[in-house]
Amino acid sequence: MKTIQNQRSIYKLALAFMMLIFAVISCSKDDNFSDNVPDYTESIIQSFKVGTKYADINHTIGTITMTLPSGTDLKNVKPEIRLPESASVTPASGSTIDFSNGPVTFEVVSTNGAHRTYTASIGAYGDPKILSFSIAGKAGVINETNNTIAVEIGSQDGNLNNLAPSFVIAGGTTVDVASGVARNFTAPVVYTVLSNNGYTAKQYTVTVTQIQAPRIDSFVINGTVGIIDNAVNSIVVILPSGTNLSSLAPVITMPADQTVTPASGLAQNFSTGKVTYTVKNKENLTKVYDVTVSSIAPTKYAFLGLENDVNSLVDDDAKAAATWMQTTYGANFKYIKIADISAQNIGDVKVAMLYYLTPSENQNFSASPTDVSTMLPAALRAGASQANVLKSWVKGGGDMLIAGDPSPFVFSLGRVPANFGAARAPGNYVFSEFGCAGVSGCYDTGKDPSDVWGLGMRDANNSGNRRTHAIFNGLTFDGGAGNEYLPLQNSANREVRLIWWQHFDNILNPSCCGSDAAVKFEKTLTAVKFGTLRHIGDAFGYGAVEFKRTDLTNDASFDSQIPKDFKGHIFTISNTIVGYEWNSNGTVNAYQNNIKVFTKNIIDYLYSINND
C-alpha cells in the first residue's frame, strides 16, 4: 500500500513539473509576442479650452463644440489643447485660429503611429449656428458658406425615411426641429436655428446619402438576364438549349464603388454546378451569390396563388382559373405559391398568371387612393423579395397575365411608375378610380341577364382597331358597328372591384377621352391599349393593356423613369366590371366560355413572343 502511495506521489510530482514547464514556455511565448497595433488612447484630445471655458468633446464621432460669450471675435481664437505626452496636434495648441467660416479640423499624431482627426466648431452666444450634426454615429460635413450639411451613413444605419439625427446648436439659440427627432431624409431637409433675440435666424439644408449595401443589380450572359433572388442570394440564368456552359463571361453590374469577384467579363465554367460571386461595398461588407446556369428552354405555364396548391386555394375565382389552366396545359403547367417564389422555381416558366378576386371570400385585401398596394399580399409589394424575383424574371423575358385584385402588381414590378404617398402628378401613374375598394369589395346579386358586362372594343376607345389581334381569335363581338364589345359576364351574382385608370388628367396631355389620348398613353409607357368598360363610349378608362418590352425602341415621349431593360411583356385586365370573373357564385354566366377562350388567347399570345 505504501509503495502504491509513493508511486502516486511521484506521478503527481511529475505532472506538476510538466505543467510548470508548459506555463514557462507559454509565458515565454507571450513575452516574445509583438503587438504592432497602435494605442489610440495616445492620439486623443484630452481637453480643449478657450479662456476659462472647456469645450465638449465627442470622441465617438470626433467633434469638439463650444459656445463663447456673445460678441466674441471668432476670427481670433486661441485654444489650449491638452494631449498625451507622446502626441502633437496641428494646428498647434495656443495658435490663433479663425472659426468664423465654420468648423476647423485638428489632427493628432502620436509617436506610436496612432493618429486621428477632430472637427472643432465654435459659436458665439446667440449666433444661430449648428456646431455639429451626426446620424447613426456618422458626422456630417458642415458648410457655413452654403448653409449646407452633408451626411453619409452606412448601409446598415437605418432607412432614409426615418432617421433621428443628433446635433448641437450654439448657446442662446433654438431650433425648429429638435435634436433626436426622427425625420424623412429621402429628400433634403431644412433646419432653422433662431437666436433668442428673435431677430436673427439661419437655415441649414441637410442632405443624407446612404452607402449601398453590397448587391448585384444585373447578371447577363450572352444577352440573357439572370433572375436575381436577394432573399437567398442566388442567381439563375436560363440559356437556350444546347448552350456550351464551360466558358461563359457574365456582364455584371453593381452600385458604384462596389467590386465583385470573379470580375465582370471574366469567363467561368458553369457546367459543373454553382459558381460563387462575392460583392464588396465601400464599407468592406460582402454578399455572396450562388450562380446557377442552365441550358433549357423555359416551357412552363405557371399560376401564382396564395395557398399551398391549386386544391387549397380559398378564393373561388382563383381556384377556377388555376384548375382550368392546369387542365389546359397539363404537363407544362406548374403551380407556385406566391410566398415561395424564387429564382429556382420561376426560371423554367415562360408565362405566369396572377389572378384572384376576393370580395366573396373577404381575404382582407383592400385599397385606398393613398395606397393601392394593399390589394397585394406582402410578398408582392414593391421591394419584397418575391416581387423583386418576378421583376428580375420579367426583365429577363418572362411574360405575365395580371387580372383582378392584384392588378397593382404592375407598379411593384416598376413597369409603371407610381408613388402612393404622393398626389397624382406627371410621372406618377397611380390608379384614379377606387370604387368597391374596401375589404369586402362589392357583391351584386339578382342582376338581370340582359345586363351584360364586357370589354369595350370601339375604335374610339383605342388608338385604332384592336379587334383583329390574336387575343380575340374565335371570339364574337356584340353591339354592332361602332359600338363593339366583347361580352364576358351576365350572371345573377357578381363580385366587383372597380380599381383602374379612368383617365390621366394633369398627368398626360391629352389625357382624355379620344384616340389621341390613347396614343399618348401608349407612347409614354410603351404599351398597347385594348379596351375599356363596355358601357363607356369613348377612350375614358384603361380596362385592358399590354405593356411591351422596353429594351428595344421607345418613343421620344417614353417616360424616362421606366427602366429600359424589360424584355418581358405584361398583359393587365385592370378591373372586374368588364366581367372578368372566373366563378359566378352559384349562378350561370352565359359567356363563361368567352372568359376561357380570351384567357387562353392571351396566354398563348404571350407564350409565342420571342423575347430574345
Side-chain angles (χ1 to χ4, degrees):
M1 184 71 178
K2 185 175 181 180
T3 302
I4 294 175
Q5 288 177 341
N6 288 339
Q7 288 176 341
R8 288 178 177 173
S9 298
I10 293 170
Y11 173 76
K12 290 180 180 179
L13 184 62
L15 182 61
F17 181 70
M18 292 175 64
M19 292 178 66
L20 179 61
I21 293 174
F22 179 77
V24 170
I25 293 173
S26 298
C27 290
S28 177
K29 288 183 178 179
D30 289 343
D31 291 342
N32 291 332
F33 178 74
S34 177
D35 185 354
N36 293 319
V37 178
D39 182 359
Y40 285 93
T41 62
E42 294 298 311
S43 61
I44 67 170
I45 291 179
Q46 296 172 330
S47 69
F48 189 100
K49 185 175 71 167
V50 177
T52 60
K53 184 175 179 60
Y54 284 91
D56 293 321
I57 303 176
N58 186 324
H59 295 289
T60 302
I61 60 174
T63 59
I64 300 171
T65 57
M66 69 185 309
T67 301
L68 296 177
S70 177
T72 298
D73 181 8
L74 298 181
K75 292 184 178 181
N76 296 285
V77 178
K78 293 184 178 182
E80 297 179 29
I81 305 171
R82 185 162 65 89
L83 305 166
E85 291 184 1
S86 62
S88 60
V89 62
T90 305
S93 175
S95 58
T96 300
I97 301 171
D98 183 356
F99 284 92
S100 64
N101 294 320
V104 175
T105 300
F106 289 80
E107 183 176 14
V108 183
V109 178
S110 173
T111 56
N112 70 359
H115 68 89
R116 71 171 305 182
T117 59
Y118 289 83
T119 301
S121 184
I122 297 178
Y125 187 87
D127 180 19
K129 193 174 186 180
I130 292 179
L131 302 179
S132 72
F133 193 101
S134 65
I135 296 177
K138 308 301 190 300
V141 177
I142 301 174
N143 186 318
E144 291 290 348
T145 301
N146 298 326
N147 296 350
T148 60
I149 301 174
V151 189
E152 182 182 64
I153 64 173
S155 61
Q156 310 303 309
D157 288 339
N159 297 318
L160 290 177
N161 61 5
N162 186 34
L163 296 173
S166 176
F167 57 87
V168 178
I169 58 176
T173 66
T174 57
V175 64
D176 58 341
V177 181
S179 173
V181 175
R183 300 185 71 178
N184 184 347
F185 286 92
T186 54
V189 169
V190 173
Y191 285 85
T192 301
V193 184
L194 178 68
S195 174
N196 286 353
N197 64 23
Y199 295 105
T200 56
K202 188 170 187 177
Q203 289 187 323
Y204 291 84
T205 300
V206 179
T207 302
V208 181
T209 57
Q210 187 165 28
I211 297 171
Q212 295 292 322
R215 72 170 190 269
I216 289 177
D217 289 327
S218 70
F219 193 98
V220 182
I221 298 178
N222 296 344
T224 298
V225 179
I227 304 165
I228 301 173
D229 188 343
N230 280 302
V232 296
N233 298 349
S234 71
I235 300 174
V236 174
V237 186
I238 308 296
L239 297 178
S241 180
T243 302
N244 184 351
L245 306 182
S246 63
S247 182
L248 298 171
V251 177
I252 308 168
T253 58
M254 303 146 291
D257 299 322
Q258 296 192 11
T259 59
V260 63
T261 305
S264 174
L266 186 64
Q268 297 292 315
N269 181 3
F270 291 94
S271 65
T272 59
K274 298 177 181 177
V275 176
T276 298
Y277 283 79
T278 302
V279 187
K280 181 186 293 186
N281 73 352
K282 64 189 293 185
E283 302 167 286
N284 289 322
L285 298 178
T286 60
K287 187 179 182 73
V288 179
Y289 290 86
D290 288 330
V291 180
T292 303
V293 181
S294 302
S295 58
I296 59 174
T299 58
K300 299 295 185 180
Y301 302 82
F303 189 91
L304 311 179
L306 292 165
E307 281 75 37
N308 290 330
D309 51 48
V310 173
N311 291 332
S312 301
L313 287 168
V314 173
D315 173 45
D316 61 342
D317 295 290
K319 188 171 185 177
T323 301
W324 167 87
M325 195 173 179
Q326 185 176 40
T327 301
T328 302
Y329 295 104
N332 282 329
F333 171 84
K334 69 185 299 185
Y335 178 87
I336 302 176
K337 184 179 180 180
I338 289 170
D340 295 337
I341 291 170
S342 67
Q344 284 76 16
N345 61 26
I346 200 71
D348 62 349
V349 175
K350 177 64 174 75
V351 178
M353 181 175 181
L354 175 61
Y355 168 73
Y356 49 85
L357 181 59
T358 63
S360 180
E361 292 75 26
N362 192 356
Q363 290 184 274
N364 297 310
F365 292 113
S366 61
S368 70
T370 58
D371 193 358
V372 73
S373 71
T374 52
M375 289 298 296
L376 301 166
L380 293 182
R381 296 177 192 174
S385 60
Q386 294 87 347
N388 285 338
V389 168
L390 286 175
K391 181 177 182 179
S392 181
W393 173 71
V394 173
K395 283 189 172 186
D399 301 305
M400 294 193 74
L401 167 59
I402 307 173
D405 288 4
S407 297
F409 187 59
V410 71
F411 302 122
S412 298
L413 290 171
R415 183 56 183 82
V416 178
N419 179 359
F420 302 117
R424 299 180 84 233
N428 183 17
Y429 304 95
V430 296
F431 289 141
S432 55
E433 168 65 46
F434 298 89
C436 301
V439 173
S440 58
C442 291
Y443 187 72
D444 294 343
T445 60
K447 301 285 289 185
D448 192 281
S450 64
D451 184 3
V452 180
W453 293 354
L455 185 67
M457 293 301 303
R458 313 163 192 84
D459 290 350
N461 286 68
N462 304 312
S463 60
N465 182 0
R466 300 288 177 222
R467 296 183 300 280
T468 59
H469 194 279
I471 66 172
F472 299 112
N473 287 343
L475 294 166
T476 301
F477 296 93
D478 287 349
N483 198 34
E484 295 87 354
Y485 74 94
L486 176 66
L488 294 173
Q489 181 65 259
N490 77 332
S491 66
N493 298 340
R494 307 177 196 178
E495 297 176 71
V496 182
R497 299 277 193 193
L498 186 54
I499 304 172
W500 66 320
W501 290 295
Q502 287 183 328
H503 48 78
F504 289 88
D505 286 354
N506 302 316
I507 295 176
L508 297 176
N509 185 24
S511 62
C512 183
C513 288
S515 293
D516 55 347
V519 170
K520 181 63 176 179
F521 169 85
E522 292 176 345
K523 289 182 176 181
T524 302
L525 298 175
T526 306
V528 178
K529 180 186 177 186
F530 279 94
T532 185
L533 311 188
R534 174 217 166 170
H535 297 290
I536 293 179
D538 54 27
F540 177 91
Y542 294 76
V545 178
E546 177 192 4
F547 295 95
K548 303 173 76 69
R549 63 191 295 177
T550 64
D551 65 317
L552 300 176
T553 302
N554 301 297
D555 189 81
S557 59
F558 178 71
D559 192 315
S560 60
Q561 296 179 88
I562 303 171
K564 294 183 178 180
D565 57 355
F566 279 96
K567 288 189 174 184
H569 292 232
I570 306 163
F571 197 99
T572 65
I573 303 174
S574 296
N575 64 79
T576 54
I577 205 169
V578 300
Y580 191 83
E581 181 180 358
W582 270 84
N583 187 295
S584 299
N585 310 294
T587 58
V588 176
N589 174 22
Y591 301 101
Q592 191 65 41
N593 191 61
N594 280 2
I595 291 177
K596 295 179 181 179
V597 174
F598 186 40
T599 303
K600 189 173 189 305
N601 286 346
I602 294 170
I603 291 175
D604 291 351
Y605 161 67
L606 293 173
Y607 196 92
S608 71
I609 298 173
N610 183 354
N611 293 327
D612 293 335

mmCIF file of all heavy atoms in Angstrom, residues 275-304:
data_model
loop_
_atom_site.group_PDB
_atom_site.id
_atom_site.type_symbol
_atom_site.label_atom_id
_atom_site.label_comp_id
_atom_site.label_asym_id
_atom_site.label_seq_id
_atom_site.Cartn_x
_atom_site.Cartn_y
_atom_site.Cartn_z
ATOM 1 N N VAL A 275 -21.467 28.568 -59.313
ATOM 2 C CA VAL A 275 -20.262 29.381 -59.220
ATOM 3 C C VAL A 275 -20.553 30.513 -58.234
ATOM 4 O O VAL A 275 -21.606 31.149 -58.301
ATOM 5 C CB VAL A 275 -19.854 29.955 -60.591
ATOM 6 C CG1 VAL A 275 -18.652 30.885 -60.449
ATOM 7 C CG2 VAL A 275 -19.547 28.818 -61.570
ATOM 8 N N THR A 276 -19.639 30.732 -57.311
ATOM 9 C CA THR A 276 -19.841 31.725 -56.259
ATOM 10 C C THR A 276 -19.261 33.071 -56.667
ATOM 11 O O THR A 276 -18.125 33.156 -57.137
ATOM 12 C CB THR A 276 -19.171 31.257 -54.948
ATOM 13 O OG1 THR A 276 -19.800 30.045 -54.523
ATOM 14 C CG2 THR A 276 -19.327 32.299 -53.856
ATOM 15 N N TYR A 277 -20.044 34.125 -56.478
ATOM 16 C CA TYR A 277 -19.606 35.502 -56.718
ATOM 17 C C TYR A 277 -19.751 36.297 -55.420
ATOM 18 O O TYR A 277 -20.781 36.206 -54.741
ATOM 19 C CB TYR A 277 -20.441 36.163 -57.822
ATOM 20 C CG TYR A 277 -20.045 35.715 -59.213
ATOM 21 C CD1 TYR A 277 -20.476 34.499 -59.721
ATOM 22 C CD2 TYR A 277 -19.223 36.499 -60.007
ATOM 23 C CE1 TYR A 277 -20.114 34.074 -60.985
ATOM 24 C CE2 TYR A 277 -18.853 36.095 -61.281
ATOM 25 C CZ TYR A 277 -19.296 34.882 -61.762
ATOM 26 O OH TYR A 277 -18.924 34.473 -63.020
ATOM 27 N N THR A 278 -18.726 37.065 -55.093
ATOM 28 C CA THR A 278 -18.713 37.852 -53.857
ATOM 29 C C THR A 278 -18.644 39.333 -54.195
ATOM 30 O O THR A 278 -17.729 39.779 -54.897
ATOM 31 C CB THR A 278 -17.513 37.477 -52.974
ATOM 32 O OG1 THR A 278 -17.567 36.080 -52.674
ATOM 33 C CG2 THR A 278 -17.542 38.266 -51.673
ATOM 34 N N VAL A 279 -19.606 40.083 -53.682
ATOM 35 C CA VAL A 279 -19.655 41.533 -53.897
ATOM 36 C C VAL A 279 -19.222 42.230 -52.614
ATOM 37 O O VAL A 279 -19.609 41.839 -51.519
ATOM 38 C CB VAL A 279 -21.071 41.990 -54.284
ATOM 39 C CG1 VAL A 279 -21.066 43.469 -54.664
ATOM 40 C CG2 VAL A 279 -21.616 41.160 -55.423
ATOM 41 N N LYS A 280 -18.399 43.279 -52.769
ATOM 42 C CA LYS A 280 -17.930 44.044 -51.622
ATOM 43 C C LYS A 280 -18.249 45.522 -51.854
ATOM 44 O O LYS A 280 -18.003 46.061 -52.930
ATOM 45 C CB LYS A 280 -16.424 43.859 -51.431
ATOM 46 C CG LYS A 280 -15.854 44.621 -50.233
ATOM 47 C CD LYS A 280 -14.330 44.527 -50.173
ATOM 48 C CE LYS A 280 -13.865 43.122 -49.873
ATOM 49 N NZ LYS A 280 -12.389 43.067 -49.684
ATOM 50 N N ASN A 281 -18.789 46.191 -50.813
ATOM 51 C CA ASN A 281 -19.050 47.616 -50.938
ATOM 52 C C ASN A 281 -17.939 48.421 -50.262
ATOM 53 O O ASN A 281 -16.963 47.862 -49.754
ATOM 54 C CB ASN A 281 -20.434 47.976 -50.387
ATOM 55 C CG ASN A 281 -20.501 47.918 -48.867
ATOM 56 O OD1 ASN A 281 -19.561 47.473 -48.196
ATOM 57 N ND2 ASN A 281 -21.614 48.372 -48.311
ATOM 58 N N LYS A 282 -18.078 49.731 -50.224
ATOM 59 C CA LYS A 282 -17.017 50.600 -49.711
ATOM 60 C C LYS A 282 -16.829 50.472 -48.206
ATOM 61 O O LYS A 282 -15.833 50.954 -47.659
ATOM 62 C CB LYS A 282 -17.271 52.059 -50.107
ATOM 63 C CG LYS A 282 -18.531 52.656 -49.514
ATOM 64 C CD LYS A 282 -18.837 54.028 -50.107
ATOM 65 C CE LYS A 282 -17.808 55.062 -49.732
ATOM 66 N NZ LYS A 282 -18.180 56.417 -50.210
ATOM 67 N N GLU A 283 -17.777 49.837 -47.515
ATOM 68 C CA GLU A 283 -17.627 49.567 -46.084
ATOM 69 C C GLU A 283 -16.903 48.244 -45.842
ATOM 70 O O GLU A 283 -16.740 47.832 -44.693
ATOM 71 C CB GLU A 283 -18.998 49.476 -45.412
ATOM 72 C CG GLU A 283 -19.871 50.699 -45.562
ATOM 73 C CD GLU A 283 -21.299 50.414 -45.154
ATOM 74 O OE1 GLU A 283 -22.010 49.743 -45.916
ATOM 75 O OE2 GLU A 283 -21.702 50.849 -44.051
ATOM 76 N N ASN A 284 -16.548 47.567 -46.940
ATOM 77 C CA ASN A 284 -15.948 46.228 -46.884
ATOM 78 C C ASN A 284 -16.929 45.165 -46.405
ATOM 79 O O ASN A 284 -16.520 44.087 -45.965
ATOM 80 C CB ASN A 284 -14.684 46.205 -46.007
ATOM 81 C CG ASN A 284 -13.518 46.922 -46.660
ATOM 82 O OD1 ASN A 284 -13.325 46.839 -47.878
ATOM 83 N ND2 ASN A 284 -12.751 47.648 -45.875
ATOM 84 N N LEU A 285 -18.225 45.463 -46.488
ATOM 85 C CA LEU A 285 -19.233 44.440 -46.263
ATOM 86 C C LEU A 285 -19.355 43.595 -47.525
ATOM 87 O O LEU A 285 -19.187 44.104 -48.641
ATOM 88 C CB LEU A 285 -20.583 45.069 -45.926
ATOM 89 C CG LEU A 285 -20.644 45.907 -44.646
ATOM 90 C CD1 LEU A 285 -22.032 46.512 -44.479
ATOM 91 C CD2 LEU A 285 -20.283 45.075 -43.431
ATOM 92 N N THR A 286 -19.662 42.329 -47.369
ATOM 93 C CA THR A 286 -19.726 41.441 -48.523
ATOM 94 C C THR A 286 -21.068 40.721 -48.606
ATOM 95 O O THR A 286 -21.764 40.561 -47.606
ATOM 96 C CB THR A 286 -18.600 40.387 -48.486
ATOM 97 O OG1 THR A 286 -18.738 39.604 -47.283
ATOM 98 C CG2 THR A 286 -17.239 41.038 -48.524
ATOM 99 N N LYS A 287 -21.397 40.305 -49.812
ATOM 100 C CA LYS A 287 -22.585 39.492 -50.071
ATOM 101 C C LYS A 287 -22.174 38.429 -51.079
ATOM 102 O O LYS A 287 -21.570 38.753 -52.111
ATOM 103 C CB LYS A 287 -23.723 40.354 -50.614
ATOM 104 C CG LYS A 287 -25.066 39.640 -50.752
ATOM 105 C CD LYS A 287 -26.105 40.624 -51.267
ATOM 106 C CE LYS A 287 -27.486 40.004 -51.389
ATOM 107 N NZ LYS A 287 -28.123 39.796 -50.084
ATOM 108 N N VAL A 288 -22.480 37.186 -50.778
ATOM 109 C CA VAL A 288 -22.057 36.068 -51.620
ATOM 110 C C VAL A 288 -23.268 35.499 -52.351
ATOM 111 O O VAL A 288 -24.292 35.181 -51.724
ATOM 112 C CB VAL A 288 -21.379 34.970 -50.776
ATOM 113 C CG1 VAL A 288 -20.967 33.795 -51.664
ATOM 114 C CG2 VAL A 288 -20.164 35.540 -50.038
ATOM 115 N N TYR A 289 -23.172 35.394 -53.672
ATOM 116 C CA TYR A 289 -24.228 34.840 -54.503
ATOM 117 C C TYR A 289 -23.796 33.486 -55.067
ATOM 118 O O TYR A 289 -22.647 33.321 -55.499
ATOM 119 C CB TYR A 289 -24.535 35.756 -55.688
ATOM 120 C CG TYR A 289 -25.218 37.057 -55.335
ATOM 121 C CD1 TYR A 289 -24.475 38.178 -54.962
ATOM 122 C CD2 TYR A 289 -26.603 37.194 -55.417
ATOM 123 C CE1 TYR A 289 -25.099 39.388 -54.662
ATOM 124 C CE2 TYR A 289 -27.233 38.396 -55.118
ATOM 125 C CZ TYR A 289 -26.470 39.482 -54.748
ATOM 126 O OH TYR A 289 -27.082 40.668 -54.461
ATOM 127 N N ASP A 290 -24.729 32.547 -55.087
ATOM 128 C CA ASP A 290 -24.546 31.291 -55.796
ATOM 129 C C ASP A 290 -25.234 31.419 -57.150
ATOM 130 O O ASP A 290 -26.444 31.652 -57.222
ATOM 131 C CB ASP A 290 -25.157 30.121 -55.026
ATOM 132 C CG ASP A 290 -24.345 29.769 -53.783
ATOM 133 O OD1 ASP A 290 -23.124 29.979 -53.804
ATOM 134 O OD2 ASP A 290 -24.947 29.307 -52.796
ATOM 135 N N VAL A 291 -24.457 31.273 -58.220
ATOM 136 C CA VAL A 291 -24.984 31.447 -59.576
ATOM 137 C C VAL A 291 -25.096 30.087 -60.258
ATOM 138 O O VAL A 291 -24.121 29.334 -60.316
ATOM 139 C CB VAL A 291 -24.084 32.381 -60.403
ATOM 140 C CG1 VAL A 291 -24.648 32.548 -61.814
ATOM 141 C CG2 VAL A 291 -23.958 33.745 -59.718
ATOM 142 N N THR A 292 -26.285 29.801 -60.750
ATOM 143 C CA THR A 292 -26.543 28.564 -61.483
ATOM 144 C C THR A 292 -26.961 28.912 -62.902
ATOM 145 O O THR A 292 -27.863 29.745 -63.094
ATOM 146 C CB THR A 292 -27.651 27.742 -60.808
ATOM 147 O OG1 THR A 292 -27.291 27.478 -59.457
ATOM 148 C CG2 THR A 292 -27.864 26.431 -61.540
ATOM 149 N N VAL A 293 -26.329 28.274 -63.877
ATOM 150 C CA VAL A 293 -26.656 28.492 -65.280
ATOM 151 C C VAL A 293 -27.150 27.183 -65.878
ATOM 152 O O VAL A 293 -26.503 26.139 -65.723
ATOM 153 C CB VAL A 293 -25.447 29.019 -66.071
ATOM 154 C CG1 VAL A 293 -25.821 29.254 -67.534
ATOM 155 C CG2 VAL A 293 -24.928 30.315 -65.447
ATOM 156 N N SER A 294 -28.299 27.227 -66.538
ATOM 157 C CA SER A 294 -28.869 26.042 -67.182
ATOM 158 C C SER A 294 -29.118 26.339 -68.655
ATOM 159 O O SER A 294 -29.399 27.481 -69.036
ATOM 160 C CB SER A 294 -30.187 25.636 -66.520
ATOM 161 O OG SER A 294 -30.006 25.388 -65.144
ATOM 162 N N SER A 295 -29.033 25.306 -69.475
ATOM 163 C CA SER A 295 -29.324 25.464 -70.906
ATOM 164 C C SER A 295 -30.606 24.703 -71.218
ATOM 165 O O SER A 295 -30.578 23.563 -71.680
ATOM 166 C CB SER A 295 -28.165 24.953 -71.764
ATOM 167 O OG SER A 295 -27.891 23.601 -71.482
ATOM 168 N N ILE A 296 -31.729 25.344 -70.923
ATOM 169 C CA ILE A 296 -33.037 24.768 -71.203
ATOM 170 C C ILE A 296 -33.927 25.868 -71.759
ATOM 171 O O ILE A 296 -33.661 27.058 -71.585
ATOM 172 C CB ILE A 296 -33.695 24.173 -69.938
ATOM 173 C CG1 ILE A 296 -33.861 25.259 -68.858
ATOM 174 C CG2 ILE A 296 -32.903 22.990 -69.410
ATOM 175 C CD1 ILE A 296 -34.624 24.796 -67.636
ATOM 176 N N ALA A 297 -34.986 25.467 -72.433
ATOM 177 C CA ALA A 297 -35.956 26.436 -72.929
ATOM 178 C C ALA A 297 -37.074 26.566 -71.897
ATOM 179 O O ALA A 297 -37.679 25.560 -71.520
ATOM 180 C CB ALA A 297 -36.519 25.973 -74.262
ATOM 181 N N PRO A 298 -37.349 27.781 -71.399
ATOM 182 C CA PRO A 298 -38.480 27.939 -70.473
ATOM 183 C C PRO A 298 -39.768 27.517 -71.173
ATOM 184 O O PRO A 298 -40.157 28.090 -72.190
ATOM 185 C CB PRO A 298 -38.470 29.438 -70.170
ATOM 186 C CG PRO A 298 -37.084 29.893 -70.492
ATOM 187 C CD PRO A 298 -36.646 29.042 -71.629
ATOM 188 N N THR A 299 -40.437 26.527 -70.640
ATOM 189 C CA THR A 299 -41.613 25.956 -71.299
ATOM 190 C C THR A 299 -42.852 25.951 -70.419
ATOM 191 O O THR A 299 -43.928 25.589 -70.890
ATOM 192 C CB THR A 299 -41.329 24.501 -71.716
ATOM 193 O OG1 THR A 299 -40.983 23.740 -70.553
ATOM 194 C CG2 THR A 299 -40.190 24.437 -72.726
ATOM 195 N N LYS A 300 -42.734 26.332 -69.175
ATOM 196 C CA LYS A 300 -43.830 26.154 -68.233
ATOM 197 C C LYS A 300 -44.822 27.323 -68.249
ATOM 198 O O LYS A 300 -44.462 28.475 -68.475
ATOM 199 C CB LYS A 300 -43.287 25.963 -66.817
ATOM 200 C CG LYS A 300 -42.385 24.748 -66.638
ATOM 201 C CD LYS A 300 -43.126 23.450 -66.846
ATOM 202 C CE LYS A 300 -42.236 22.251 -66.538
ATOM 203 N NZ LYS A 300 -42.941 20.970 -66.744
ATOM 204 N N TYR A 301 -46.077 26.947 -67.977
ATOM 205 C CA TYR A 301 -47.137 27.910 -67.725
ATOM 206 C C TYR A 301 -47.403 27.849 -66.218
ATOM 207 O O TYR A 301 -47.744 26.783 -65.693
ATOM 208 C CB TYR A 301 -48.418 27.541 -68.461
ATOM 209 C CG TYR A 301 -48.300 27.420 -69.970
ATOM 210 C CD1 TYR A 301 -47.815 26.252 -70.555
ATOM 211 C CD2 TYR A 301 -48.720 28.445 -70.807
ATOM 212 C CE1 TYR A 301 -47.736 26.119 -71.932
ATOM 213 C CE2 TYR A 301 -48.648 28.327 -72.192
ATOM 214 C CZ TYR A 301 -48.152 27.156 -72.753
ATOM 215 O OH TYR A 301 -48.079 27.032 -74.105
ATOM 216 N N ALA A 302 -47.276 28.957 -65.543
ATOM 217 C CA ALA A 302 -47.412 28.936 -64.084
ATOM 218 C C ALA A 302 -48.603 29.755 -63.624
ATOM 219 O O ALA A 302 -48.906 30.810 -64.195
ATOM 220 C CB ALA A 302 -46.139 29.463 -63.424
ATOM 221 N N PHE A 303 -49.259 29.267 -62.580
ATOM 222 C CA PHE A 303 -50.267 30.058 -61.880
ATOM 223 C C PHE A 303 -49.701 30.400 -60.510
ATOM 224 O O PHE A 303 -49.217 29.526 -59.786
ATOM 225 C CB PHE A 303 -51.576 29.282 -61.718
ATOM 226 C CG PHE A 303 -52.709 30.130 -61.192
ATOM 227 C CD1 PHE A 303 -53.558 30.792 -62.060
ATOM 228 C CD2 PHE A 303 -52.913 30.292 -59.818
ATOM 229 C CE1 PHE A 303 -54.597 31.593 -61.574
ATOM 230 C CE2 PHE A 303 -53.932 31.084 -59.330
ATOM 231 C CZ PHE A 303 -54.778 31.739 -60.213
ATOM 232 N N LEU A 304 -49.766 31.663 -60.155
ATOM 233 C CA LEU A 304 -49.235 32.134 -58.878
ATOM 234 C C LEU A 304 -50.400 32.323 -57.908
ATOM 235 O O LEU A 304 -51.291 33.134 -58.145
ATOM 236 C CB LEU A 304 -48.485 33.457 -59.066
ATOM 237 C CG LEU A 304 -47.458 33.497 -60.207
ATOM 238 C CD1 LEU A 304 -46.802 34.877 -60.283
ATOM 239 C CD2 LEU A 304 -46.414 32.421 -60.036
#
